[in-house]
Amino acid sequence: MGDGAEHDSTAEMPAGGSGSGPTHIDGGGPSRPDGSGPTYLGEFRVRVPAVVSQLAMLRAVAETVLLTADFTLDVVTDVRVALDEVATALMLSADAGRELEFELRYDARGVEVRVSLVSRTEAALEDDSFGRHIVAALTDWLEAGCEPYDPALGGYPVTVRFGRQRDVDDF
């Protein structure tokens, strides 16, 4: 896997689409803040306006990071399609002006993705939806959670996490 160098970058880029605000990309450190769990070789966070025109940018970030980290095309494609399904479902459940947060972490064994936003509904990624079945089929694990309505945020905080291991041939 690559040179194992840590990614440490912060960038602010104008987001595409009309009336959308800035896109924020943060490269994170190699491990979780509390020092527990795996040491991540790369961690990236992107916050974008919750509009469908941002999907291409999210897919491009995920694809670029994973290809640079020497994931196989099969893994990259699975993660990209799963991310597209999750982000689309969440964006369609968001009120205008909301932001979607996307986080991607990877280590020597696999990749973990977290997508979250404040939704206007509790059913942003329903258990029996076709999109959720697609994500479950493409990933090794999937967790989706919706917190109770938060009056201060004006909606339901929703977080979807999923992971995909590297292909066996990668070890």
Side-chain angles (χ1 to χ4, degrees):
M1 160 151 37
D3 60 7
E6 295 177 22
H7 297 277
D8 187 16
S9 61
T10 301
E12 194 167 308
M13 305 180 324
S18 62
S20 53
T23 300
H24 306 281
I25 301 177
D26 300 315
S31 64
R32 294 181 179 164
D34 64 1
S36 68
T39 298
Y40 293 109
L41 299 173
E43 181 174 338
F44 295 83
R45 284 182 213 89
V46 179
R47 191 174 54 242
V48 298
V51 293
V52 176
S53 64
Q54 293 296 308
L55 289 172
M57 196 278 303
L58 291 174
R59 287 189 299 259
V61 168
E63 181 175 1
T64 301
V65 169
L66 294 177
L67 286 174
T68 302
D70 294 331
F71 281 83
T72 64
L73 288 176
D74 287 342
V75 172
V76 173
T77 300
D78 289 351
V79 169
R80 194 180 63 214
V81 172
L83 171 62
D84 191 64
E85 287 294 326
V86 169
T88 299
L90 294 185
M91 287 174 172
L92 293 176
S93 75
D95 289 326
R98 295 290 186 182
E99 288 187 331
L100 177 135
E101 187 173 313
F102 159 64
E103 182 176 351
L104 182 142
R105 299 174 177 178
Y106 68 89
D107 62 18
R109 302 195 63 77
V111 59
E112 176 183 322
V113 174
R114 183 182 63 80
V115 183
S116 60
L117 62 61
V118 176
S119 173
R120 70 176 166 271
T121 177
E122 294 176 275
L125 189 65
E126 297 180 89
D127 289 343
D128 61 347
S129 71
F130 183 67
R132 186 169 177 138
H133 290 293
I134 290 173
V135 176
L138 294 172
T139 61
D140 294 313
W141 58 271
L142 169 64
E143 300 173 356
C146 180
E147 296 179 29
Y149 183 85
D150 184 333
L153 295 174
Y156 299 88
V158 176
T159 300
V160 178
R161 294 177 55 233
F162 62 86
R164 176 73 159 78
Q165 298 298 312
R166 287 183 181 271
D167 285 337
V168 175
D169 297 343
D170 292 347
F171 291 109

